[in-house]
Amino acid sequence: MNTWQPIETAPKDGTEIITGFDSATVWICHVAWWKSWEDWMELMPEAHSKDECGWWSYTENSVGQTFLDNKPTHWIELPDYTNITK
């Protein structure tokens, strides 16, 4: 699949995808994944609330994770980078 799809059709199994939404006529994109309540319960049940279920992405330093407050409206698969050479 190489076209933008409605976010309702996106995988919710932790697969990283590219998400997007319109913000004042600017298209904002994130590499993101869905994290469910069950996922949080397996990881750290004492540290999270149901408010944190949803789309997550990397922070600017690529190490931390951040909850996407602005809900994506569309998604597309990540390109296959396995054949990239330096």
Side-chain angles (χ1 to χ4, degrees):
M1 176 183 347
N2 59 1
T3 59
W4 289 96
Q5 302 292 317
I7 198 66
E8 296 79 19
T9 65
K12 291 188 174 180
D13 60 0
T15 301
E16 290 183 352
I17 58 175
I18 300 173
T19 62
F21 66 94
D22 182 280
S23 177
T25 71
V26 175
W27 192 246
I28 307 296
C29 296
H30 294 276
V31 172
W33 59 92
W34 179 266
K35 198 165 268 194
S36 69
W37 179 244
E38 293 78 18
D39 295 334
W40 282 123
M41 289 295 91
E42 288 179 23
L43 293 173
M44 301 167 62
E46 70 286 349
H48 297 284
S49 73
K50 288 191 177 185
D51 294 337
E52 296 174 294
C53 299
W55 294 104
W56 284 76
S57 186
Y58 300 104
T59 58
E60 293 175 7
N61 64 15
S62 300
V63 177
Q65 300 175 12
T66 187
F67 182 73
L68 295 181
D69 290 325
N70 293 314
K71 303 298 181 229
T73 58
H74 291 79
W75 75 282
I76 193 167
E77 291 179 346
L78 282 170
D80 179 7
Y81 291 111
T82 57
N83 294 324
I84 293 179
T85 57
K86 294 181 181 183

